Amino acid sequence: MILSKIKSYEKIEQYDTKITTSLAENYKTIIENLGEDVNREGLEKTPERVAKAMQYLTHGYELNPLEILKSALFTEDHKQMIVVKDIEVYSMCEHHMLPFFGKAHVAYIPNGKIVGLSKIPRIVDAFARRMQVQERLTDQIKNCIQEALNPLGVAVVIEAQHMCMQMRGIQKQNSVTTTSSFTGAFEKDKTRKEFISLVSNKLS
Ligand SMILES: Nc1nc2c(ncn2[C@@H]2O[C@H](COP(=O)(O)OP(=O)(O)OP(=O)(O)O)[C@@H](O)[C@H]2O)c(=O)[nH]1
Ligand SMILES: [Zn+2]
């Protein structure tokens, strides 16, 4: 959907314009079906804005998370747990196409290779910027790190609020969903507890 692979996604300007046009036409119909006048001043450019917003919110399909990790692997004889916590997550539930958002906490214990730290939030984003369920997002991050680094273990915890449960449906404004996924050493109680204690001030 996005033409070029840009390393920083803060400012994506190069959208696939064919897709933008097609999406915009569809959003025009949607807005009309919702009973609005798509020609009034405030809405005139809205179909195109929404199209670009949706392209941005799903740009993860254009990224290869495994390649992102493999692009910054370093040989290092470090055997302690590495934790990157409080990584902001913005994703979109695949059932309602409404946002879910929160924090991811990721840890691994290296086995000869470490990865450039920034690559962990990058792969969180690469998987989050798709139509998702929180459980799959959690597993995909874990599996990707396991495959790229072959570490002694990986742990991923995500805490998120789902707008589909807050602003519609059951309307529980304070509900937070926690998902977790572990491999290797983190399947042992002691290691998992150490990880949980390192991120626990953030876990409810
Ligand atoms: N397991 C899981 N469920 C999710 C996630 N995001 C949204 N959902 C749920 O997906 C389900 C879809 O259920 P349906 O009964 O088909 O949809 P619905 O009638 O809109 O359901 P309500 O939200 O209960 O009104 C809902 O229970 C949502 O809460 C997620 O990340 N993981
Ligand atoms: Zn939903």
Side-chain angles (χ1 to χ4, degrees), residues 93-98 162 164:
C93 98
E94 67 184 19
H95 304 120
H96 300 95
M97 294 182 72
L98 286 171
H162 289 246
C164 66

Side-chain angles (χ1 to χ4, degrees), residues 111-200:
N111 184 22
K113 297 271 181 207
I114 56 167
V115 67
L117 281 180
S118 68
K119 305 306 177 194
I120 291 176
R122 279 192 190 281
I123 67 152
V124 169
D125 256 12
F127 287 119
R129 298 305 198 164
R130 303 175 184 198
M131 291 171 68
Q132 274 289 9
V133 293
Q134 191 176 325
E135 294 91 331
R136 190 196 311 132
L137 175 59
T138 310
D139 288 337
Q140 285 176 332
I141 297 164
K142 176 203 72 177
N143 293 339
C144 187
I145 296 171
Q146 186 64 46
E147 188 177 341
L149 281 119
N150 190 28
L152 299 178
V154 182
V156 179
V157 169
I158 298 180
E159 310 165 86
Q161 304 179 53
H162 289 246
M163 294 313 284
C164 66
M165 282 175 70
Q166 295 191 342
M167 64 186 286
R168 60 157 297 287
I170 191 69
Q171 303 199 36
K172 296 298 177 200
Q173 272 78 18
N174 297 309
S175 64
V176 175
T177 304
T178 303
T179 46
S180 60
S181 208
F182 303 101
T183 66
F186 289 93
E187 280 163 13
K188 286 191 210 130
D189 240 29
K190 187 171 165 278
T191 316
R192 184 151 66 209
K193 276 186 184 144
E194 185 186 340
F195 167 67
I196 297 292
S197 83
L198 284 170
V199 301
S200 63

Side-chain angles (χ1 to χ4, degrees), residues 4 11 21 30 43 52 57 69 73-75 78 84 97 99 109 127 133 139 146 151 153-154 166 176 183:
S4 63
K11 285 187 189 166
T21 306
I30 289 169
L43 292 183
K52 286 181 177 170
L57 297 177
L69 290 184
L73 290 183
F74 309 106
T75 305
H78 178 84
V84 183
M97 294 182 72
I109 302 173
F127 287 119
V133 293
D139 288 337
Q146 186 64 46
V154 182
Q166 295 191 342
V176 175
T183 66

